[in-house]
Amino acid sequence: KLYPKPVVALGVFDGVHLGHRAILKAVVRKARAIGGTSVAVTFFPHPQGQSSLYSLEHRLRLIAELGVDICIVIKFSRAFARIHAQDFIKNILVKKINARYAYVGKNFRFGKAALGDFKLLEKFSRTYGFKLKVFDVIKTGQHNISSTYIRRLIARGNLGLAKKLLGRPV
């Protein structure tokens, strides 16, 4: 196959914030432990039409700095948006990438109408023989750390907290 023993992180990874970093670092550690390839699969433009916190180039640089071997950028188009979640798992995650492990945040959604989630990945991980690791959403006080929350903080001028949640300057 294309990549030996792929350990795959799935997500938009907009902002590459502390939650994203935890997933990506875990993928790198696991890949190194098994002599595999760490792979991040991301989407551009943003599937929900959000303005990105960072340009695609900056996001890819931040992902690479965490030690990820390969970053696959899927062009998010109308046609791609029509792919059913189980077809994404079968045709992309399994057939194209041959994932041994898939790592996602608990709030990751994918596939047509965003109907795919970690529970569907769990179900199909048994069918296709890959292992799934699901990460809880990291909280800061009452808020989940998310790109949406960080965008809101920046809009309000709270750059200090935004910087803390991103793990670097805004």
Side-chain angles (χ1 to χ4, degrees), residues 74-109:
I74 294 176
K75 184 179 189 315
F76 196 85
S77 62
R78 280 200 187 114
F80 184 79
R82 288 193 290 269
I83 297 172
H84 289 277
Q86 46 275 47
D87 292 332
F88 175 84
I89 296 168
K90 182 174 92 178
N91 296 324
I92 296 172
L93 196 58
V94 176
K95 284 187 180 168
K96 281 207 180 355
I97 302 172
N98 191 32
R100 294 280 177 91
Y101 296 84
Y103 285 30
V104 296
K106 204 169 229 167
N107 58 353
F108 178 65
R109 298 282 182 276

PDB file of all heavy atoms in Angstrom, residues 74-109:
ATOM      1  N   ILE A  74      -8.210  17.054   1.489  1.00  0.00           N
ATOM      2  CA  ILE A  74      -9.316  16.705   0.604  1.00  0.00           C
ATOM      3  C   ILE A  74     -10.047  17.989   0.244  1.00  0.00           C
ATOM      4  O   ILE A  74     -10.447  18.757   1.127  1.00  0.00           O
ATOM      5  CB  ILE A  74     -10.270  15.701   1.282  1.00  0.00           C
ATOM      6  CG1 ILE A  74      -9.526  14.370   1.500  1.00  0.00           C
ATOM      7  CG2 ILE A  74     -11.533  15.505   0.442  1.00  0.00           C
ATOM      8  CD1 ILE A  74     -10.317  13.312   2.248  1.00  0.00           C
ATOM      9  N   LYS A  75     -10.189  18.218  -1.051  1.00  0.00           N
ATOM     10  CA  LYS A  75     -10.904  19.405  -1.520  1.00  0.00           C
ATOM     11  C   LYS A  75     -12.373  19.221  -1.183  1.00  0.00           C
ATOM     12  O   LYS A  75     -13.011  18.287  -1.667  1.00  0.00           O
ATOM     13  CB  LYS A  75     -10.718  19.581  -3.024  1.00  0.00           C
ATOM     14  CG  LYS A  75     -11.353  20.841  -3.577  1.00  0.00           C
ATOM     15  CD  LYS A  75     -11.093  20.917  -5.078  1.00  0.00           C
ATOM     16  CE  LYS A  75     -11.475  22.209  -5.727  1.00  0.00           C
ATOM     17  NZ  LYS A  75     -12.718  22.803  -5.425  1.00  0.00           N
ATOM     18  N   PHE A  76     -12.879  20.097  -0.320  1.00  0.00           N
ATOM     19  CA  PHE A  76     -14.273  19.982   0.078  1.00  0.00           C
ATOM     20  C   PHE A  76     -15.143  20.693  -0.954  1.00  0.00           C
ATOM     21  O   PHE A  76     -15.185  21.907  -1.024  1.00  0.00           O
ATOM     22  CB  PHE A  76     -14.512  20.550   1.486  1.00  0.00           C
ATOM     23  CG  PHE A  76     -15.814  20.097   2.043  1.00  0.00           C
ATOM     24  CD1 PHE A  76     -15.918  18.874   2.687  1.00  0.00           C
ATOM     25  CD2 PHE A  76     -16.963  20.858   1.885  1.00  0.00           C
ATOM     26  CE1 PHE A  76     -17.138  18.427   3.167  1.00  0.00           C
ATOM     27  CE2 PHE A  76     -18.185  20.420   2.363  1.00  0.00           C
ATOM     28  CZ  PHE A  76     -18.267  19.202   3.003  1.00  0.00           C
ATOM     29  N   SER A  77     -15.808  19.900  -1.775  1.00  0.00           N
ATOM     30  CA  SER A  77     -16.636  20.424  -2.864  1.00  0.00           C
ATOM     31  C   SER A  77     -18.071  19.939  -2.672  1.00  0.00           C
ATOM     32  O   SER A  77     -18.346  19.104  -1.811  1.00  0.00           O
ATOM     33  CB  SER A  77     -16.110  19.877  -4.192  1.00  0.00           C
ATOM     34  OG  SER A  77     -16.222  18.450  -4.193  1.00  0.00           O
ATOM     35  N   ARG A  78     -18.970  20.420  -3.520  1.00  0.00           N
ATOM     36  CA  ARG A  78     -20.359  19.941  -3.457  1.00  0.00           C
ATOM     37  C   ARG A  78     -20.417  18.437  -3.683  1.00  0.00           C
ATOM     38  O   ARG A  78     -21.152  17.729  -3.022  1.00  0.00           O
ATOM     39  CB  ARG A  78     -21.207  20.653  -4.510  1.00  0.00           C
ATOM     40  CG  ARG A  78     -21.623  22.026  -4.081  1.00  0.00           C
ATOM     41  CD  ARG A  78     -22.831  22.486  -4.906  1.00  0.00           C
ATOM     42  NE  ARG A  78     -23.107  23.865  -4.586  1.00  0.00           N
ATOM     43  CZ  ARG A  78     -22.982  24.866  -5.444  1.00  0.00           C
ATOM     44  NH1 ARG A  78     -22.612  24.632  -6.678  1.00  0.00           N
ATOM     45  NH2 ARG A  78     -23.239  26.092  -5.063  1.00  0.00           N
ATOM     46  N   ALA A  79     -19.642  17.962  -4.642  1.00  0.00           N
ATOM     47  CA  ALA A  79     -19.627  16.523  -4.948  1.00  0.00           C
ATOM     48  C   ALA A  79     -19.122  15.730  -3.741  1.00  0.00           C
ATOM     49  O   ALA A  79     -19.709  14.708  -3.368  1.00  0.00           O
ATOM     50  CB  ALA A  79     -18.759  16.247  -6.170  1.00  0.00           C
ATOM     51  N   PHE A  80     -18.047  16.217  -3.123  1.00  0.00           N
ATOM     52  CA  PHE A  80     -17.506  15.509  -1.961  1.00  0.00           C
ATOM     53  C   PHE A  80     -18.524  15.506  -0.809  1.00  0.00           C
ATOM     54  O   PHE A  80     -18.658  14.513  -0.100  1.00  0.00           O
ATOM     55  CB  PHE A  80     -16.184  16.135  -1.498  1.00  0.00           C
ATOM     56  CG  PHE A  80     -15.553  15.371  -0.375  1.00  0.00           C
ATOM     57  CD1 PHE A  80     -14.854  14.205  -0.624  1.00  0.00           C
ATOM     58  CD2 PHE A  80     -15.706  15.789   0.942  1.00  0.00           C
ATOM     59  CE1 PHE A  80     -14.307  13.467   0.419  1.00  0.00           C
ATOM     60  CE2 PHE A  80     -15.170  15.062   1.980  1.00  0.00           C
ATOM     61  CZ  PHE A  80     -14.461  13.894   1.714  1.00  0.00           C
ATOM     62  N   ALA A  81     -19.240  16.610  -0.665  1.00  0.00           N
ATOM     63  CA  ALA A  81     -20.227  16.734   0.419  1.00  0.00           C
ATOM     64  C   ALA A  81     -21.359  15.716   0.285  1.00  0.00           C
ATOM     65  O   ALA A  81     -22.055  15.421   1.255  1.00  0.00           O
ATOM     66  CB  ALA A  81     -20.801  18.147   0.450  1.00  0.00           C
ATOM     67  N   ARG A  82     -21.542  15.151  -0.900  1.00  0.00           N
ATOM     68  CA  ARG A  82     -22.615  14.167  -1.117  1.00  0.00           C
ATOM     69  C   ARG A  82     -22.199  12.738  -0.785  1.00  0.00           C
ATOM     70  O   ARG A  82     -23.021  11.827  -0.835  1.00  0.00           O
ATOM     71  CB  ARG A  82     -23.106  14.237  -2.569  1.00  0.00           C
ATOM     72  CG  ARG A  82     -23.923  15.501  -2.853  1.00  0.00           C
ATOM     73  CD  ARG A  82     -24.655  15.404  -4.176  1.00  0.00           C
ATOM     74  NE  ARG A  82     -23.749  15.448  -5.321  1.00  0.00           N
ATOM     75  CZ  ARG A  82     -23.376  16.562  -5.953  1.00  0.00           C
ATOM     76  NH1 ARG A  82     -23.810  17.732  -5.557  1.00  0.00           N
ATOM     77  NH2 ARG A  82     -22.561  16.494  -6.986  1.00  0.00           N
ATOM     78  N   ILE A  83     -20.941  12.532  -0.470  1.00  0.00           N
ATOM     79  CA  ILE A  83     -20.461  11.175  -0.161  1.00  0.00           C
ATOM     80  C   ILE A  83     -20.994  10.741   1.210  1.00  0.00           C
ATOM     81  O   ILE A  83     -20.817  11.448   2.199  1.00  0.00           O
ATOM     82  CB  ILE A  83     -18.913  11.103  -0.190  1.00  0.00           C
ATOM     83  CG1 ILE A  83     -18.400  11.411  -1.604  1.00  0.00           C
ATOM     84  CG2 ILE A  83     -18.417   9.748   0.297  1.00  0.00           C
ATOM     85  CD1 ILE A  83     -16.894  11.550  -1.697  1.00  0.00           C
ATOM     86  N   HIS A  84     -21.637   9.595   1.247  1.00  0.00           N
ATOM     87  CA  HIS A  84     -22.164   9.076   2.512  1.00  0.00           C
ATOM     88  C   HIS A  84     -21.004   8.686   3.429  1.00  0.00           C
ATOM     89  O   HIS A  84     -19.949   8.252   2.958  1.00  0.00           O
ATOM     90  CB  HIS A  84     -23.063   7.868   2.267  1.00  0.00           C
ATOM     91  CG  HIS A  84     -24.360   8.241   1.620  1.00  0.00           C
ATOM     92  ND1 HIS A  84     -25.436   8.706   2.340  1.00  0.00           N
ATOM     93  CD2 HIS A  84     -24.739   8.242   0.324  1.00  0.00           C
ATOM     94  CE1 HIS A  84     -26.427   8.979   1.517  1.00  0.00           C
ATOM     95  NE2 HIS A  84     -26.034   8.711   0.273  1.00  0.00           N
ATOM     96  N   ALA A  85     -21.234   8.819   4.716  1.00  0.00           N
ATOM     97  CA  ALA A  85     -20.188   8.553   5.710  1.00  0.00           C
ATOM     98  C   ALA A  85     -19.588   7.158   5.556  1.00  0.00           C
ATOM     99  O   ALA A  85     -18.369   6.993   5.592  1.00  0.00           O
ATOM    100  CB  ALA A  85     -20.745   8.747   7.119  1.00  0.00           C
ATOM    101  N   GLN A  86     -20.453   6.145   5.354  1.00  0.00           N
ATOM    102  CA  GLN A  86     -19.901   4.784   5.245  1.00  0.00           C
ATOM    103  C   GLN A  86     -19.067   4.610   3.975  1.00  0.00           C
ATOM    104  O   GLN A  86     -18.115   3.844   3.967  1.00  0.00           O
ATOM    105  CB  GLN A  86     -20.954   3.686   5.397  1.00  0.00           C
ATOM    106  CG  GLN A  86     -22.229   3.839   4.643  1.00  0.00           C
ATOM    107  CD  GLN A  86     -23.272   4.679   5.363  1.00  0.00           C
ATOM    108  OE1 GLN A  86     -23.013   5.757   5.887  1.00  0.00           O
ATOM    109  NE2 GLN A  86     -24.506   4.207   5.370  1.00  0.00           N
ATOM    110  N   ASP A  87     -19.387   5.372   2.911  1.00  0.00           N
ATOM    111  CA  ASP A  87     -18.576   5.319   1.693  1.00  0.00           C
ATOM    112  C   ASP A  87     -17.233   6.009   1.907  1.00  0.00           C
ATOM    113  O   ASP A  87     -16.216   5.583   1.358  1.00  0.00           O
ATOM    114  CB  ASP A  87     -19.316   5.961   0.512  1.00  0.00           C
ATOM    115  CG  ASP A  87     -20.524   5.127   0.090  1.00  0.00           C
ATOM    116  OD1 ASP A  87     -20.501   3.895   0.292  1.00  0.00           O
ATOM    117  OD2 ASP A  87     -21.499   5.713  -0.414  1.00  0.00           O
ATOM    118  N   PHE A  88     -17.223   7.085   2.692  1.00  0.00           N
ATOM    119  CA  PHE A  88     -15.966   7.747   3.037  1.00  0.00           C
ATOM    120  C   PHE A  88     -15.062   6.754   3.779  1.00  0.00           C
ATOM    121  O   PHE A  88     -13.877   6.621   3.470  1.00  0.00           O
ATOM    122  CB  PHE A  88     -16.223   8.981   3.913  1.00  0.00           C
ATOM    123  CG  PHE A  88     -14.961   9.636   4.402  1.00  0.00           C
ATOM    124  CD1 PHE A  88     -14.280  10.549   3.617  1.00  0.00           C
ATOM    125  CD2 PHE A  88     -14.441   9.331   5.657  1.00  0.00           C
ATOM    126  CE1 PHE A  88     -13.103  11.144   4.059  1.00  0.00           C
ATOM    127  CE2 PHE A  88     -13.273   9.913   6.106  1.00  0.00           C
ATOM    128  CZ  PHE A  88     -12.596  10.826   5.302  1.00  0.00           C
ATOM    129  N   ILE A  89     -15.635   6.040   4.748  1.00  0.00           N
ATOM    130  CA  ILE A  89     -14.853   5.063   5.517  1.00  0.00           C
ATOM    131  C   ILE A  89     -14.304   3.980   4.585  1.00  0.00           C
ATOM    132  O   ILE A  89     -13.102   3.699   4.579  1.00  0.00           O
ATOM    133  CB  ILE A  89     -15.706   4.425   6.640  1.00  0.00           C
ATOM    134  CG1 ILE A  89     -16.118   5.486   7.665  1.00  0.00           C
ATOM    135  CG2 ILE A  89     -14.938   3.283   7.314  1.00  0.00           C
ATOM    136  CD1 ILE A  89     -17.198   5.016   8.643  1.00  0.00           C
ATOM    137  N   LYS A  90     -15.201   3.382   3.778  1.00  0.00           N
ATOM    138  CA  LYS A  90     -14.814   2.259   2.920  1.00  0.00           C
ATOM    139  C   LYS A  90     -13.832   2.682   1.824  1.00  0.00           C
ATOM    140  O   LYS A  90     -12.792   2.053   1.647  1.00  0.00           O
ATOM    141  CB  LYS A  90     -16.064   1.640   2.290  1.00  0.00           C
ATOM    142  CG  LYS A  90     -15.765   0.421   1.422  1.00  0.00           C
ATOM    143  CD  LYS A  90     -17.041  -0.242   0.946  1.00  0.00           C
ATOM    144  CE  LYS A  90     -17.426   0.347  -0.401  1.00  0.00           C
ATOM    145  NZ  LYS A  90     -18.614  -0.260  -0.982  1.00  0.00           N
ATOM    146  N   ASN A  91     -14.161   3.756   1.102  1.00  0.00           N
ATOM    147  CA  ASN A  91     -13.380   4.100  -0.091  1.00  0.00           C
ATOM    148  C   ASN A  91     -12.142   4.941   0.182  1.00  0.00           C
ATOM    149  O   ASN A  91     -11.154   4.822  -0.534  1.00  0.00           O
ATOM    150  CB  ASN A  91     -14.270   4.806  -1.115  1.00  0.00           C
ATOM    151  CG  ASN A  91     -15.366   3.883  -1.606  1.00  0.00           C
ATOM    152  OD1 ASN A  91     -15.167   2.688  -1.757  1.00  0.00           O
ATOM    153  ND2 ASN A  91     -16.544   4.437  -1.821  1.00  0.00           N
ATOM    154  N   ILE A  92     -12.194   5.787   1.193  1.00  0.00           N
ATOM    155  CA  ILE A  92     -11.047   6.662   1.456  1.00  0.00           C
ATOM    156  C   ILE A  92     -10.203   6.130   2.612  1.00  0.00           C
ATOM    157  O   ILE A  92      -9.026   5.819   2.444  1.00  0.00           O
ATOM    158  CB  ILE A  92     -11.502   8.120   1.683  1.00  0.00           C
ATOM    159  CG1 ILE A  92     -12.142   8.631   0.379  1.00  0.00           C
ATOM    160  CG2 ILE A  92     -10.326   8.998   2.113  1.00  0.00           C
ATOM    161  CD1 ILE A  92     -12.810   9.963   0.462  1.00  0.00           C
ATOM    162  N   LEU A  93     -10.824   5.980   3.771  1.00  0.00           N
ATOM    163  CA  LEU A  93     -10.066   5.558   4.954  1.00  0.00           C
ATOM    164  C   LEU A  93      -9.484   4.151   4.786  1.00  0.00           C
ATOM    165  O   LEU A  93      -8.323   3.914   5.116  1.00  0.00           O
ATOM    166  CB  LEU A  93     -10.964   5.635   6.190  1.00  0.00           C
ATOM    167  CG  LEU A  93     -10.278   5.598   7.537  1.00  0.00           C
ATOM    168  CD1 LEU A  93      -9.277   6.738   7.688  1.00  0.00           C
ATOM    169  CD2 LEU A  93     -11.295   5.649   8.658  1.00  0.00           C
ATOM    170  N   VAL A  94     -10.286   3.232   4.236  1.00  0.00           N
ATOM    171  CA  VAL A  94      -9.832   1.842   4.122  1.00  0.00           C
ATOM    172  C   VAL A  94      -9.130   1.568   2.793  1.00  0.00           C
ATOM    173  O   VAL A  94      -7.967   1.172   2.767  1.00  0.00           O
ATOM    174  CB  VAL A  94     -11.020   0.861   4.336  1.00  0.00           C
ATOM    175  CG1 VAL A  94     -10.588  -0.580   4.121  1.00  0.00           C
ATOM    176  CG2 VAL A  94     -11.599   1.041   5.739  1.00  0.00           C
ATOM    177  N   LYS A  95      -9.824   1.794   1.661  1.00  0.00           N
ATOM    178  CA  LYS A  95      -9.237   1.427   0.363  1.00  0.00           C
ATOM    179  C   LYS A  95      -8.065   2.314  -0.043  1.00  0.00           C
ATOM    180  O   LYS A  95      -7.038   1.806  -0.498  1.00  0.00           O
ATOM    181  CB  LYS A  95     -10.304   1.461  -0.734  1.00  0.00           C
ATOM    182  CG  LYS A  95     -11.232   0.264  -0.699  1.00  0.00           C
ATOM    183  CD  LYS A  95     -12.157   0.268  -1.897  1.00  0.00           C
ATOM    184  CE  LYS A  95     -13.079  -0.945  -1.853  1.00  0.00           C
ATOM    185  NZ  LYS A  95     -14.164  -0.825  -2.847  1.00  0.00           N
ATOM    186  N   LYS A  96      -8.214   3.625   0.082  1.00  0.00           N
ATOM    187  CA  LYS A  96      -7.148   4.528  -0.375  1.00  0.00           C
ATOM    188  C   LYS A  96      -5.994   4.626   0.620  1.00  0.00           C
ATOM    189  O   LYS A  96      -4.836   4.577   0.238  1.00  0.00           O
ATOM    190  CB  LYS A  96      -7.708   5.924  -0.648  1.00  0.00           C
ATOM    191  CG  LYS A  96      -8.436   6.033  -1.978  1.00  0.00           C
ATOM    192  CD  LYS A  96      -8.358   7.452  -2.481  1.00  0.00           C
ATOM    193  CE  LYS A  96      -9.014   7.766  -3.780  1.00  0.00           C
ATOM    194  NZ  LYS A  96      -9.606   6.775  -4.585  1.00  0.00           N
ATOM    195  N   ILE A  97      -6.320   4.775   1.914  1.00  0.00           N
ATOM    196  CA  ILE A  97      -5.267   5.009   2.913  1.00  0.00           C
ATOM    197  C   ILE A  97      -4.846   3.722   3.613  1.00  0.00           C
ATOM    198  O   ILE A  97      -3.723   3.592   4.057  1.00  0.00           O
ATOM    199  CB  ILE A  97      -5.729   6.075   3.948  1.00  0.00           C
ATOM    200  CG1 ILE A  97      -6.071   7.385   3.231  1.00  0.00           C
ATOM    201  CG2 ILE A  97      -4.647   6.309   5.004  1.00  0.00           C
ATOM    202  CD1 ILE A  97      -6.719   8.432   4.134  1.00  0.00           C
ATOM    203  N   ASN A  98      -5.766   2.755   3.713  1.00  0.00           N
ATOM    204  CA  ASN A  98      -5.492   1.492   4.403  1.00  0.00           C
ATOM    205  C   ASN A  98      -5.175   1.708   5.883  1.00  0.00           C
ATOM    206  O   ASN A  98      -4.216   1.162   6.430  1.00  0.00           O
ATOM    207  CB  ASN A  98      -4.348   0.740   3.707  1.00  0.00           C
ATOM    208  CG  ASN A  98      -4.206  -0.679   4.210  1.00  0.00           C
ATOM    209  OD1 ASN A  98      -5.185  -1.317   4.586  1.00  0.00           O
ATOM    210  ND2 ASN A  98      -2.979  -1.174   4.231  1.00  0.00           N
ATOM    211  N   ALA A  99      -5.986   2.549   6.534  1.00  0.00           N
ATOM    212  CA  ALA A  99      -5.744   2.918   7.936  1.00  0.00           C
ATOM    213  C   ALA A  99      -5.691   1.698   8.847  1.00  0.00           C
ATOM    214  O   ALA A  99      -6.539   0.814   8.768  1.00  0.00           O
ATOM    215  CB  ALA A  99      -6.845   3.863   8.413  1.00  0.00           C
ATOM    216  N   ARG A 100      -4.688   1.668   9.705  1.00  0.00           N
ATOM    217  CA  ARG A 100      -4.612   0.656  10.770  1.00  0.00           C
ATOM    218  C   ARG A 100      -5.289   1.203  12.024  1.00  0.00           C
ATOM    219  O   ARG A 100      -5.862   0.470  12.797  1.00  0.00           O
ATOM    220  CB  ARG A 100      -3.155   0.346  11.102  1.00  0.00           C
ATOM    221  CG  ARG A 100      -2.376  -0.311  10.006  1.00  0.00           C
ATOM    222  CD  ARG A 100      -2.676  -1.806   9.942  1.00  0.00           C
ATOM    223  NE  ARG A 100      -1.968  -2.431   8.837  1.00  0.00           N
ATOM    224  CZ  ARG A 100      -0.768  -2.966   8.927  1.00  0.00           C
ATOM    225  NH1 ARG A 100      -0.114  -2.936  10.069  1.00  0.00           N
ATOM    226  NH2 ARG A 100      -0.208  -3.511   7.871  1.00  0.00           N
ATOM    227  N   TYR A 101      -5.140   2.529  12.211  1.00  0.00           N
ATOM    228  CA  TYR A 101      -5.717   3.234  13.352  1.00  0.00           C
ATOM    229  C   TYR A 101      -6.352   4.515  12.824  1.00  0.00           C
ATOM    230  O   TYR A 101      -5.822   5.127  11.902  1.00  0.00           O
ATOM    231  CB  TYR A 101      -4.637   3.622  14.375  1.00  0.00           C
ATOM    232  CG  TYR A 101      -3.952   2.454  15.029  1.00  0.00           C
ATOM    233  CD1 TYR A 101      -2.885   1.825  14.409  1.00  0.00           C
ATOM    234  CD2 TYR A 101      -4.385   1.978  16.272  1.00  0.00           C
ATOM    235  CE1 TYR A 101      -2.263   0.735  14.995  1.00  0.00           C
ATOM    236  CE2 TYR A 101      -3.760   0.901  16.866  1.00  0.00           C
ATOM    237  CZ  TYR A 101      -2.699   0.273  16.221  1.00  0.00           C
ATOM    238  OH  TYR A 101      -2.089  -0.796  16.812  1.00  0.00           O
ATOM    239  N   ALA A 102      -7.472   4.905  13.440  1.00  0.00           N
ATOM    240  CA  ALA A 102      -8.095   6.197  13.134  1.00  0.00           C
ATOM    241  C   ALA A 102      -8.304   6.914  14.458  1.00  0.00           C
ATOM    242  O   ALA A 102      -8.831   6.333  15.407  1.00  0.00           O
ATOM    243  CB  ALA A 102      -9.419   6.002  12.404  1.00  0.00           C
ATOM    244  N   TYR A 103      -7.874   8.162  14.522  1.00  0.00           N
ATOM    245  CA  TYR A 103      -8.000   8.974  15.725  1.00  0.00           C
ATOM    246  C   TYR A 103      -8.881  10.175  15.401  1.00  0.00           C
ATOM    247  O   TYR A 103      -8.641  10.870  14.398  1.00  0.00           O
ATOM    248  CB  TYR A 103      -6.625   9.487  16.168  1.00  0.00           C
ATOM    249  CG  TYR A 103      -5.720   8.457  16.829  1.00  0.00           C
ATOM    250  CD1 TYR A 103      -5.780   7.108  16.509  1.00  0.00           C
ATOM    251  CD2 TYR A 103      -4.779   8.854  17.759  1.00  0.00           C
ATOM    252  CE1 TYR A 103      -4.945   6.182  17.114  1.00  0.00           C
ATOM    253  CE2 TYR A 103      -3.920   7.939  18.367  1.00  0.00           C
ATOM    254  CZ  TYR A 103      -4.013   6.604  18.038  1.00  0.00           C
ATOM    255  OH  TYR A 103      -3.179   5.704  18.633  1.00  0.00           O
ATOM    256  N   VAL A 104      -9.891  10.395  16.227  1.00  0.00           N
ATOM    257  CA  VAL A 104     -10.809  11.523  16.026  1.00  0.00           C
ATOM    258  C   VAL A 104     -11.204  12.132  17.365  1.00  0.00           C
ATOM    259  O   VAL A 104     -11.156  11.470  18.394  1.00  0.00           O
ATOM    260  CB  VAL A 104     -12.112  11.112  15.281  1.00  0.00           C
ATOM    261  CG1 VAL A 104     -11.822  10.630  13.877  1.00  0.00           C
ATOM    262  CG2 VAL A 104     -12.900  10.081  16.064  1.00  0.00           C
ATOM    263  N   GLY A 105     -11.635  13.383  17.302  1.00  0.00           N
ATOM    264  CA  GLY A 105     -12.249  14.015  18.462  1.00  0.00           C
ATOM    265  C   GLY A 105     -13.692  13.537  18.545  1.00  0.00           C
ATOM    266  O   GLY A 105     -14.302  13.192  17.522  1.00  0.00           O
ATOM    267  N   LYS A 106     -14.235  13.511  19.753  1.00  0.00           N
ATOM    268  CA  LYS A 106     -15.594  13.030  19.980  1.00  0.00           C
ATOM    269  C   LYS A 106     -16.637  13.798  19.167  1.00  0.00           C
ATOM    270  O   LYS A 106     -17.676  13.274  18.819  1.00  0.00           O
ATOM    271  CB  LYS A 106     -15.922  13.118  21.470  1.00  0.00           C
ATOM    272  CG  LYS A 106     -17.006  12.165  21.893  1.00  0.00           C
ATOM    273  CD  LYS A 106     -17.109  12.086  23.402  1.00  0.00           C
ATOM    274  CE  LYS A 106     -17.115  10.615  23.781  1.00  0.00           C
ATOM    275  NZ  LYS A 106     -16.914  10.382  25.179  1.00  0.00           N
ATOM    276  N   ASN A 107     -16.331  15.057  18.834  1.00  0.00           N
ATOM    277  CA  ASN A 107     -17.290  15.886  18.103  1.00  0.00           C
ATOM    278  C   ASN A 107     -17.066  15.873  16.590  1.00  0.00           C
ATOM    279  O   ASN A 107     -17.708  16.625  15.869  1.00  0.00           O
ATOM    280  CB  ASN A 107     -17.265  17.318  18.632  1.00  0.00           C
ATOM    281  CG  ASN A 107     -15.883  17.947  18.542  1.00  0.00           C
ATOM    282  OD1 ASN A 107     -14.904  17.274  18.210  1.00  0.00           O
ATOM    283  ND2 ASN A 107     -15.791  19.228  18.837  1.00  0.00           N
ATOM    284  N   PHE A 108     -16.182  15.015  16.083  1.00  0.00           N
ATOM    285  CA  PHE A 108     -15.922  14.947  14.647  1.00  0.00           C
ATOM    286  C   PHE A 108     -17.149  14.416  13.918  1.00  0.00           C
ATOM    287  O   PHE A 108     -17.730  13.405  14.294  1.00  0.00           O
ATOM    288  CB  PHE A 108     -14.717  14.034  14.368  1.00  0.00           C
ATOM    289  CG  PHE A 108     -14.408  13.859  12.902  1.00  0.00           C
ATOM    290  CD1 PHE A 108     -13.992  14.932  12.135  1.00  0.00           C
ATOM    291  CD2 PHE A 108     -14.534  12.617  12.290  1.00  0.00           C
ATOM    292  CE1 PHE A 108     -13.695  14.772  10.775  1.00  0.00           C
ATOM    293  CE2 PHE A 108     -14.242  12.450  10.939  1.00  0.00           C
ATOM    294  CZ  PHE A 108     -13.829  13.537  10.187  1.00  0.00           C
ATOM    295  N   ARG A 109     -17.566  15.129  12.876  1.00  0.00           N
ATOM    296  CA  ARG A 109     -18.690  14.727  12.029  1.00  0.00           C
ATOM    297  C   ARG A 109     -18.214  14.693  10.586  1.00  0.00           C
ATOM    298  O   ARG A 109     -17.400  15.516  10.181  1.00  0.00           O
ATOM    299  CB  ARG A 109     -19.853  15.728  12.129  1.00  0.00           C
ATOM    300  CG  ARG A 109     -20.458  15.854  13.507  1.00  0.00           C
ATOM    301  CD  ARG A 109     -21.379  14.682  13.800  1.00  0.00           C
ATOM    302  NE  ARG A 109     -22.014  14.779  15.097  1.00  0.00           N
ATOM    303  CZ  ARG A 109     -21.494  14.402  16.245  1.00  0.00           C
ATOM    304  NH1 ARG A 109     -20.268  13.941  16.297  1.00  0.00           N
ATOM    305  NH2 ARG A 109     -22.168  14.481  17.368  1.00  0.00           N
TER     306      ARG A 109
END
